[in-house]
Amino acid sequence: MDHNGNTELRENSFWRKYLFSADHKTIGKQYLWLGLIMALVGGILAYFMRKQLAWPESETLTPNVYNAFVTMHGTIMVFFVAMPILLGCFGNFLIPLMIGADDMAFPRLNMLSFWTFFVGTLLLILSFFVPGGAAAAGWTGYAPLSAKPIYTGVNWGLNLWILSLALEFASVLMGGVNFMTTAITMRAEGMSWFRLPLMVWMQLSAAIIFMLSVGPTIAAAVLLLLDRLVGTGFFVPAQGGDPLLWQHLFWFFGHPEVYVVLLPGFGVLLEILPAGSRKPIFGYRIIIYSTLVAGVLSFIVWAHHMFVSGMNPNLSMPFSITTILISVPFAIVIFAMIATMWRGSIRLTTAMSFAIGTLMTFLMGGVTGIFNGSAAVDIFIHDTYFVVAHFHYTLFPATFFAAFAGIYFWFPKMFGRMLNETWGKVHFWLTFVGFNLVFLPMFRLGMAGHMRRLADPTQYNFLSTESIKSTQIFITWAAIGLLIGQAPFIVNFLRSIVAGEVAEENPWQANTLEWSTASPPPHGNFEVRPIVHHDPYNYSSPDADSDWLPQDQSLEEITT
Amino acid sequence: MVMYSPEISRSDPVDKATLATLIFLGTEIMFFAGLISSFLILRAGTPNWPPPGQPRYPILITGFNTLFLLVSGATMFRAVKAAQGHRRKRWLLATFGFGTLFLGIQGVEWVKLVEYGMTFTSSIYGGLFYTLIGCHALHLVIALVILIFVIFRSGFGTKTHPLLSLCSLYWYFVVGIWPLLYTLVYLL
């Protein structure tokens, strides 16, 4: 509201409503658009890398450009696709709705957060076009490769890379402060901690993990930038610096970051699976406790990325133990998800298909993580395609399968229209089959000793065999199929926004509060502030008439 | 800012802005933890500390300076607790004075160190000093800017201002992290 009281005029202007909006729903959708567009960019980079790998003789990419593409593909997919969609979109859109609040605690800070993110994204895109090209030191920015421009030949590209990540971190910090303050202070009457939808718990855990882990990496980024711009040598051995220090500081954040992305993905599943199985969630509290334990453990596993880095080998055993330990809480959550579906009356919607697809693919990623986590095995498979396959089996399910599940599930709430289910199914099967055809063979490549980040594998004799070459070509065709498989989604998404079937308030007959208001919810979210009477997963309750019992409906209201 | 109808807004059990500031300060603590660990690791990997030809960090004068900063924390506390406007004004100005004094003495020390040949790039020893102490100084500058803003917006402290309590939290953080930095960087 300005000093002249012109609230209504300004609220209704196009700019205020769609662009510089402080409404959490609009900001969530802005993050969604940004993430989806960046996913296309990341996918196109992947296509060029795959073309180069399958047909190195075509010289699609020079080794320098290949390095830049590898770096930017990783950076974009983790920081500019997974983060905006899973945290930016779902967190912003769902947290206030699910807790029955009218908006975030700090709506303007939220808007600032998005536009900071947006500028960071622009800088990252811009870095492709500066002299020397984009950053080429890997998405992990390992020093000393990243510490001096002469090592990669990239000067401003890498500076911009650091700058854009700094903006992204600042943005997520603002978002995280907002998420936590909102969830702590703005819950509706009756919304106790153990009635919170698990999505909110997961977003909250992710925010806490991010906030606690990102500080040291920002410190490392400051040191790195000083190395590059001022000429200090914190990470340069020739000047008395320590390159391993970068790896420690980076992975102290970098590994928890994996869970920052994964937990909101789990949150999506934990909402969709009970609604799609018409059963209460299995082990609500155990899931929360496991998540918190995993969150704590995530801070003491980072050095498993560094088994072959030259760090003290005595550290390998403790970090192997914590790494294998962290699979226990996650296994509990996975089992709880499977048990939730067990003997449910499953409604195999597109959202549900993607949710189950997430479980199946992530399981592969989790199990192969145990191989990487044991130092003895890791020394053999480190920096091979086995690792590439492993982390794509963990991050692809979280970033894409779970995100797609969430988009199909909450699209009606976001845009007031339904996505087409038939094309959704087509999209699911193309993605599911395509994904497995791309990444399953990579485990085999890795076992054969195929290193990562090679622009031209055929320069090694043992990687020039017919078997390896044909596998690479097969993977590339599968990747092209996977990319084309996204076309039904893009068309469906764009078409449904304008011409989809109009959605009702609660199309999936789910219980959480966002389904108790209009689709899309009005400004301020709820006509009357809801009062919460139940936990969020009251499906097939024998006391209720229908097989679902919304959180804001008391049993007396129904029976009388 | 959007105003909603009164029936759907409600009083908060915890003050939102205070909570948000505390969460943010948690991140700041981790940031300094990262810097301090970097310092300790790089120091442990350097055989001669300080390296030949580099001056020692100024322990004594900074020790006195530490007292000034701690005093500024105490005056800030008094300012927040002050019931009357004119008292608040006195304590706020004292806080500003001690904060600026600390920064000024640090600045003089930096000039001397540079004259002795310790620069950002002269050694890891110098680079770390300027990075760590510089980050702290930058935080103090930001705290001073917020303090000046609060002083001017509150009629030199005579009126209450909502930002004062947040500003004091940030101030306590900047003061509180300093003895740790002093001990680990200068004394150790």
CSV table of all heavy atoms in Angstrom, one decimal, chain A residues 337-384:
chain,number,residue,atom,x,y,z
A,337,MET,N,7.0,-45.3,1.9
A,337,MET,CA,6.2,-45.0,0.7
A,337,MET,C,5.6,-46.2,0.1
A,337,MET,O,4.4,-46.3,-0.3
A,337,MET,CB,7.1,-44.3,-0.3
A,337,MET,CG,7.6,-42.9,0.1
A,337,MET,SD,8.7,-42.3,-1.2
A,337,MET,CE,9.2,-40.8,-0.5
A,338,ILE,N,6.4,-47.3,0.1
A,338,ILE,CA,5.9,-48.5,-0.5
A,338,ILE,C,4.8,-49.1,0.3
A,338,ILE,O,3.7,-49.5,-0.2
A,338,ILE,CB,7.1,-49.6,-0.7
A,338,ILE,CG1,8.1,-49.0,-1.6
A,338,ILE,CG2,6.5,-50.9,-1.1
A,338,ILE,CD1,9.4,-49.8,-1.7
A,339,ALA,N,5.0,-49.0,1.7
A,339,ALA,CA,3.9,-49.5,2.6
A,339,ALA,C,2.7,-48.7,2.5
A,339,ALA,O,1.6,-49.2,2.7
A,339,ALA,CB,4.5,-49.5,4.0
A,340,THR,N,2.8,-47.4,2.1
A,340,THR,CA,1.6,-46.6,1.9
A,340,THR,C,0.8,-47.1,0.7
A,340,THR,O,-0.4,-47.2,0.8
A,340,THR,CB,2.0,-45.2,1.7
A,340,THR,OG1,2.8,-44.7,2.8
A,340,THR,CG2,0.8,-44.3,1.5
A,341,MET,N,1.5,-47.6,-0.3
A,341,MET,CA,0.7,-48.1,-1.5
A,341,MET,C,0.2,-49.5,-1.2
A,341,MET,O,-0.8,-49.9,-1.9
A,341,MET,CB,1.7,-48.1,-2.7
A,341,MET,CG,2.0,-46.7,-3.2
A,341,MET,SD,2.8,-46.9,-4.8
A,341,MET,CE,4.4,-47.5,-4.3
A,342,TRP,N,0.8,-50.2,-0.3
A,342,TRP,CA,0.5,-51.6,-0.1
A,342,TRP,C,-1.0,-51.8,0.2
A,342,TRP,O,-1.5,-51.3,1.1
A,342,TRP,CB,1.4,-52.2,1.0
A,342,TRP,CG,1.2,-53.6,1.4
A,342,TRP,CD1,0.5,-54.1,2.5
A,342,TRP,CD2,1.6,-54.7,0.6
A,342,TRP,NE1,0.5,-55.5,2.5
A,342,TRP,CE2,1.2,-55.9,1.3
A,342,TRP,CE3,2.2,-54.9,-0.6
A,342,TRP,CZ2,1.4,-57.2,0.9
A,342,TRP,CZ3,2.5,-56.2,-1.1
A,342,TRP,CH2,2.0,-57.3,-0.3
A,343,ARG,N,-1.6,-52.6,-0.7
A,343,ARG,CA,-3.1,-52.9,-0.5
A,343,ARG,C,-4.0,-51.7,-0.5
A,343,ARG,O,-5.1,-51.7,0.0
A,343,ARG,CB,-3.3,-53.8,0.7
A,343,ARG,CG,-2.5,-55.0,0.7
A,343,ARG,CD,-2.8,-55.9,1.9
A,343,ARG,NE,-4.1,-56.6,1.8
A,343,ARG,CZ,-4.5,-57.4,2.7
A,343,ARG,NH1,-3.8,-57.6,3.8
A,343,ARG,NH2,-5.7,-58.1,2.5
A,344,GLY,N,-3.5,-50.6,-1.1
A,344,GLY,CA,-4.3,-49.5,-1.3
A,344,GLY,C,-5.2,-49.6,-2.6
A,344,GLY,O,-4.9,-50.6,-3.4
A,345,SER,N,-6.2,-48.8,-2.8
A,345,SER,CA,-6.9,-48.9,-4.0
A,345,SER,C,-6.3,-47.8,-4.9
A,345,SER,O,-6.7,-46.6,-4.9
A,345,SER,CB,-8.4,-48.7,-3.9
A,345,SER,OG,-8.7,-47.5,-3.2
A,346,ILE,N,-5.3,-48.2,-5.7
A,346,ILE,CA,-4.5,-47.3,-6.4
A,346,ILE,C,-5.2,-46.7,-7.6
A,346,ILE,O,-5.8,-47.4,-8.4
A,346,ILE,CB,-3.2,-47.9,-6.8
A,346,ILE,CG1,-2.3,-48.2,-5.5
A,346,ILE,CG2,-2.4,-47.1,-7.8
A,346,ILE,CD1,-1.1,-48.9,-5.7
A,347,ARG,N,-5.1,-45.3,-7.7
A,347,ARG,CA,-5.7,-44.6,-8.9
A,347,ARG,C,-4.5,-44.2,-9.7
A,347,ARG,O,-3.8,-43.3,-9.4
A,347,ARG,CB,-6.4,-43.4,-8.5
A,347,ARG,CG,-7.7,-43.7,-7.6
A,347,ARG,CD,-8.4,-42.4,-7.2
A,347,ARG,NE,-9.6,-42.8,-6.5
A,347,ARG,CZ,-10.3,-41.8,-5.8
A,347,ARG,NH1,-9.9,-40.6,-5.9
A,347,ARG,NH2,-11.3,-42.2,-5.1
A,348,LEU,N,-4.3,-44.9,-10.8
A,348,LEU,CA,-3.1,-44.7,-11.6
A,348,LEU,C,-3.2,-43.5,-12.5
A,348,LEU,O,-3.2,-43.6,-13.7
A,348,LEU,CB,-2.7,-46.0,-12.4
A,348,LEU,CG,-1.2,-46.2,-12.6
A,348,LEU,CD1,-0.5,-46.2,-11.3
A,348,LEU,CD2,-1.0,-47.6,-13.3
A,349,THR,N,-3.2,-42.3,-11.9
A,349,THR,CA,-3.2,-41.1,-12.6
A,349,THR,C,-1.8,-40.9,-13.1
A,349,THR,O,-0.8,-41.6,-12.8
A,349,THR,CB,-3.6,-39.9,-11.8
A,349,THR,OG1,-2.7,-39.9,-10.6
A,349,THR,CG2,-5.0,-40.0,-11.3
A,350,THR,N,-1.6,-39.8,-14.0
A,350,THR,CA,-0.3,-39.5,-14.5
A,350,THR,C,0.6,-39.1,-13.3
A,350,THR,O,1.8,-39.6,-13.2
A,350,THR,CB,-0.3,-38.4,-15.5
A,350,THR,OG1,-1.3,-38.7,-16.5
A,350,THR,CG2,1.0,-38.1,-16.1
A,351,ALA,N,0.1,-38.3,-12.4
A,351,ALA,CA,0.9,-37.9,-11.2
A,351,ALA,C,1.3,-39.2,-10.4
A,351,ALA,O,2.5,-39.3,-10.0
A,351,ALA,CB,0.1,-37.0,-10.3
A,352,MET,N,0.4,-40.1,-10.2
A,352,MET,CA,0.7,-41.3,-9.5
A,352,MET,C,1.8,-42.1,-10.3
A,352,MET,O,2.7,-42.7,-9.7
A,352,MET,CB,-0.5,-42.1,-9.3
A,352,MET,CG,-0.4,-43.3,-8.3
A,352,MET,SD,-0.1,-42.7,-6.6
A,352,MET,CE,0.0,-44.3,-5.8
A,353,SER,N,1.6,-42.2,-11.6
A,353,SER,CA,2.6,-43.0,-12.4
A,353,SER,C,4.0,-42.4,-12.2
A,353,SER,O,5.0,-43.1,-12.0
A,353,SER,CB,2.3,-42.9,-13.9
A,353,SER,OG,0.9,-43.3,-14.1
A,354,PHE,N,4.1,-41.1,-12.3
A,354,PHE,CA,5.4,-40.4,-12.1
A,354,PHE,C,5.9,-40.6,-10.7
A,354,PHE,O,7.1,-40.8,-10.5
A,354,PHE,CB,5.3,-38.9,-12.4
A,354,PHE,CG,5.6,-38.6,-13.9
A,354,PHE,CD1,4.6,-38.2,-14.7
A,354,PHE,CD2,6.9,-38.7,-14.3
A,354,PHE,CE1,4.9,-37.9,-16.1
A,354,PHE,CE2,7.2,-38.4,-15.7
A,354,PHE,CZ,6.2,-38.0,-16.5
A,355,ALA,N,5.0,-40.6,-9.7
A,355,ALA,CA,5.5,-40.9,-8.3
A,355,ALA,C,6.1,-42.3,-8.2
A,355,ALA,O,7.1,-42.4,-7.6
A,355,ALA,CB,4.3,-40.7,-7.4
A,356,ILE,N,5.4,-43.3,-8.7
A,356,ILE,CA,5.9,-44.6,-8.6
A,356,ILE,C,7.2,-44.7,-9.5
A,356,ILE,O,8.1,-45.4,-9.0
A,356,ILE,CB,4.8,-45.6,-9.1
A,356,ILE,CG1,3.6,-45.5,-8.2
A,356,ILE,CG2,5.4,-47.0,-9.1
A,356,ILE,CD1,2.4,-46.3,-8.7
A,357,GLY,N,7.2,-44.0,-10.6
A,357,GLY,CA,8.4,-44.0,-11.4
A,357,GLY,C,9.6,-43.5,-10.7
A,357,GLY,O,10.7,-44.0,-10.7
A,358,THR,N,9.3,-42.4,-9.9
A,358,THR,CA,10.4,-41.8,-9.1
A,358,THR,C,11.0,-42.8,-8.1
A,358,THR,O,12.2,-43.0,-8.0
A,358,THR,CB,9.8,-40.6,-8.2
A,358,THR,OG1,9.1,-39.8,-9.1
A,358,THR,CG2,10.9,-39.8,-7.6
A,359,LEU,N,10.0,-43.5,-7.4
A,359,LEU,CA,10.5,-44.5,-6.5
A,359,LEU,C,11.4,-45.6,-7.1
A,359,LEU,O,12.4,-45.9,-6.6
A,359,LEU,CB,9.2,-45.3,-5.9
A,359,LEU,CG,8.7,-44.7,-4.6
A,359,LEU,CD1,7.5,-45.6,-4.2
A,359,LEU,CD2,9.7,-44.7,-3.5
A,360,MET,N,10.9,-46.1,-8.3
A,360,MET,CA,11.7,-47.2,-8.9
A,360,MET,C,13.0,-46.8,-9.3
A,360,MET,O,14.0,-47.5,-9.2
A,360,MET,CB,10.9,-47.8,-10.1
A,360,MET,CG,9.6,-48.4,-9.6
A,360,MET,SD,8.5,-48.9,-11.0
A,360,MET,CE,9.4,-50.3,-11.6
A,361,THR,N,13.1,-45.6,-9.9
A,361,THR,CA,14.4,-45.1,-10.4
A,361,THR,C,15.3,-44.7,-9.3
A,361,THR,O,16.5,-45.0,-9.3
A,361,THR,CB,14.2,-44.0,-11.5
A,361,THR,OG1,13.3,-43.1,-10.9
A,361,THR,CG2,13.7,-44.5,-12.8
A,362,PHE,N,14.7,-44.0,-8.3
A,362,PHE,CA,15.5,-43.5,-7.2
A,362,PHE,C,16.2,-44.7,-6.5
A,362,PHE,O,17.3,-44.6,-6.0
A,362,PHE,CB,14.8,-42.6,-6.3
A,362,PHE,CG,15.6,-42.1,-5.2
A,362,PHE,CD1,16.5,-41.1,-5.4
A,362,PHE,CD2,15.6,-42.7,-3.9
A,362,PHE,CE1,17.3,-40.6,-4.3
A,362,PHE,CE2,16.4,-42.3,-2.9
A,362,PHE,CZ,17.3,-41.2,-3.1
A,363,LEU,N,15.4,-45.7,-6.4
A,363,LEU,CA,15.9,-46.9,-5.7
A,363,LEU,C,17.2,-47.4,-6.3
A,363,LEU,O,18.1,-47.7,-5.6
A,363,LEU,CB,14.8,-48.0,-5.8
A,363,LEU,CG,14.7,-49.0,-4.6
A,363,LEU,CD1,14.5,-48.2,-3.3
A,363,LEU,CD2,13.6,-50.0,-4.8
A,364,MET,N,17.2,-47.4,-7.6
A,364,MET,CA,18.5,-47.8,-8.3
A,364,MET,C,19.6,-46.8,-7.9
A,364,MET,O,20.7,-47.2,-7.7
A,364,MET,CB,18.3,-47.7,-9.8
A,364,MET,CG,17.4,-48.7,-10.4
A,364,MET,SD,18.4,-50.2,-10.6
A,364,MET,CE,19.6,-49.6,-11.9
A,365,GLY,N,19.3,-45.5,-7.9
A,365,GLY,CA,20.3,-44.6,-7.5
A,365,GLY,C,20.8,-44.8,-6.1
A,365,GLY,O,22.0,-44.7,-5.8
A,366,GLY,N,19.9,-45.1,-5.2
A,366,GLY,CA,20.2,-45.3,-3.8
A,366,GLY,C,21.1,-46.5,-3.6
A,366,GLY,O,22.1,-46.5,-2.9
A,367,VAL,N,20.7,-47.6,-4.3
A,367,VAL,CA,21.5,-48.8,-4.1
A,367,VAL,C,22.9,-48.7,-4.7
A,367,VAL,O,23.8,-49.1,-4.1
A,367,VAL,CB,20.7,-50.0,-4.8
A,367,VAL,CG1,21.6,-51.2,-4.8
A,367,VAL,CG2,19.4,-50.3,-4.0
A,368,THR,N,23.0,-48.0,-5.9
A,368,THR,CA,24.3,-47.9,-6.4
A,368,THR,C,25.2,-46.9,-5.6
A,368,THR,O,26.4,-46.9,-5.7
A,368,THR,CB,24.3,-47.4,-7.9
A,368,THR,OG1,23.4,-46.3,-8.0
A,368,THR,CG2,23.8,-48.5,-8.8
A,369,GLY,N,24.5,-46.1,-4.8
A,369,GLY,CA,25.2,-45.1,-4.0
A,369,GLY,C,26.0,-45.9,-2.9
A,369,GLY,O,27.1,-45.4,-2.5
A,370,ILE,N,25.6,-47.0,-2.5
A,370,ILE,CA,26.3,-47.8,-1.5
A,370,ILE,C,27.6,-48.3,-2.1
A,370,ILE,O,28.6,-48.3,-1.4
A,370,ILE,CB,25.4,-49.0,-1.0
A,370,ILE,CG1,24.2,-48.4,-0.3
A,370,ILE,CG2,26.2,-49.9,-0.1
A,370,ILE,CD1,23.2,-49.4,0.1
A,371,PHE,N,27.6,-48.6,-3.4
A,371,PHE,CA,28.9,-48.9,-4.1
A,371,PHE,C,29.9,-47.8,-4.0
A,371,PHE,O,31.0,-47.9,-3.6
A,371,PHE,CB,28.7,-49.3,-5.5
A,371,PHE,CG,27.9,-50.6,-5.8
A,371,PHE,CD1,26.6,-50.7,-5.4
A,371,PHE,CD2,28.5,-51.7,-6.3
A,371,PHE,CE1,25.9,-51.8,-5.6
A,371,PHE,CE2,27.8,-52.8,-6.6
A,371,PHE,CZ,26.5,-52.9,-6.2
A,372,ASN,N,29.4,-46.6,-4.4
A,372,ASN,CA,30.2,-45.4,-4.4
A,372,ASN,C,30.7,-45.0,-3.0
A,372,ASN,O,31.8,-44.5,-2.8
A,372,ASN,CB,29.5,-44.2,-5.0
A,372,ASN,CG,29.2,-44.4,-6.5
A,372,ASN,OD1,30.0,-44.9,-7.2
A,372,ASN,ND2,28.0,-44.0,-6.9
A,373,GLY,N,29.8,-45.3,-2.0
A,373,GLY,CA,30.1,-44.9,-0.7
A,373,GLY,C,31.2,-45.7,0.0
A,373,GLY,O,31.8,-45.2,0.9
A,374,SER,N,31.4,-46.9,-0.4
A,374,SER,CA,32.5,-47.7,0.2
A,374,SER,C,33.8,-47.4,-0.5
A,374,SER,O,33.9,-47.6,-1.7
A,374,SER,CB,32.2,-49.2,0.1
A,374,SER,OG,31.1,-49.4,-0.6
A,375,ALA,N,34.7,-46.9,0.3
A,375,ALA,CA,36.0,-46.4,-0.3
A,375,ALA,C,36.6,-47.4,-1.2
A,375,ALA,O,37.2,-47.1,-2.3
A,375,ALA,CB,36.9,-45.9,0.8
A,376,ALA,N,36.6,-48.7,-0.8
A,376,ALA,CA,37.4,-49.7,-1.5
A,376,ALA,C,36.8,-49.8,-2.9
A,376,ALA,O,37.5,-50.0,-3.9
A,376,ALA,CB,37.3,-51.0,-0.8
A,377,VAL,N,35.5,-49.8,-3.1
A,377,VAL,CA,34.9,-49.9,-4.4
A,377,VAL,C,35.0,-48.6,-5.2
A,377,VAL,O,35.3,-48.6,-6.4
A,377,VAL,CB,33.4,-50.3,-4.3
A,377,VAL,CG1,32.8,-50.5,-5.6
A,377,VAL,CG2,33.2,-51.5,-3.4
A,378,ASP,N,34.9,-47.5,-4.4
A,378,ASP,CA,34.9,-46.2,-5.1
A,378,ASP,C,36.2,-46.0,-5.8
A,378,ASP,O,36.2,-45.3,-6.9
A,378,ASP,CB,34.6,-45.1,-4.1
A,378,ASP,CG,34.6,-43.7,-4.8
A,378,ASP,OD1,33.6,-43.5,-5.5
A,378,ASP,OD2,35.5,-42.9,-4.6
A,379,ILE,N,37.3,-46.4,-5.2
A,379,ILE,CA,38.6,-46.2,-5.8
A,379,ILE,C,38.6,-46.8,-7.3
A,379,ILE,O,39.2,-46.2,-8.2
A,379,ILE,CB,39.7,-46.8,-5.0
A,379,ILE,CG1,39.9,-45.9,-3.7
A,379,ILE,CG2,41.0,-46.9,-5.7
A,379,ILE,CD1,40.7,-46.6,-2.6
A,380,PHE,N,37.9,-47.9,-7.5
A,380,PHE,CA,37.8,-48.5,-8.8
A,380,PHE,C,36.9,-47.7,-9.7
A,380,PHE,O,37.2,-47.5,-10.9
A,380,PHE,CB,37.4,-49.9,-8.7
A,380,PHE,CG,37.2,-50.6,-10.0
A,380,PHE,CD1,38.3,-50.8,-10.9
A,380,PHE,CD2,36.0,-51.1,-10.4
A,380,PHE,CE1,38.1,-51.4,-12.1
A,380,PHE,CE2,35.8,-51.6,-11.6
A,380,PHE,CZ,36.9,-51.8,-12.5
A,381,ILE,N,35.7,-47.3,-9.2
A,381,ILE,CA,34.7,-46.7,-10.1
A,381,ILE,C,34.7,-45.2,-10.1
A,381,ILE,O,33.9,-44.6,-10.8
A,381,ILE,CB,33.3,-47.2,-9.8
A,381,ILE,CG1,33.0,-47.0,-8.3
A,381,ILE,CG2,33.1,-48.7,-10.3
A,381,ILE,CD1,31.6,-47.5,-8.0
A,382,HIS,N,35.6,-44.6,-9.3
A,382,HIS,CA,35.5,-43.1,-9.2
A,382,HIS,C,35.8,-42.5,-10.5
A,382,HIS,O,36.6,-42.9,-11.3
A,382,HIS,CB,36.6,-42.7,-8.2
A,382,HIS,CG,36.3,-41.3,-7.7
A,382,HIS,ND1,35.6,-41.0,-6.5
A,382,HIS,CD2,36.6,-40.1,-8.2
A,382,HIS,CE1,35.5,-39.7,-6.3
A,382,HIS,NE2,36.1,-39.1,-7.3
A,383,ASP,N,35.0,-41.4,-10.7
A,383,ASP,CA,35.2,-40.6,-12.0
A,383,ASP,C,35.0,-41.4,-13.2
A,383,ASP,O,35.5,-41.1,-14.3
A,383,ASP,CB,36.6,-39.9,-12.0
A,383,ASP,CG,36.5,-38.5,-11.6
A,383,ASP,OD1,35.5,-37.9,-11.8
A,383,ASP,OD2,37.6,-38.0,-11.1
A,384,THR,N,34.2,-42.5,-13.1
A,384,THR,CA,33.8,-43.2,-14.3
A,384,THR,C,32.3,-42.9,-14.6
A,384,THR,O,31.6,-42.3,-13.8
A,384,THR,CB,34.0,-44.7,-14.2
A,384,THR,OG1,33.1,-45.2,-13.2
A,384,THR,CG2,35.4,-45.0,-13.8
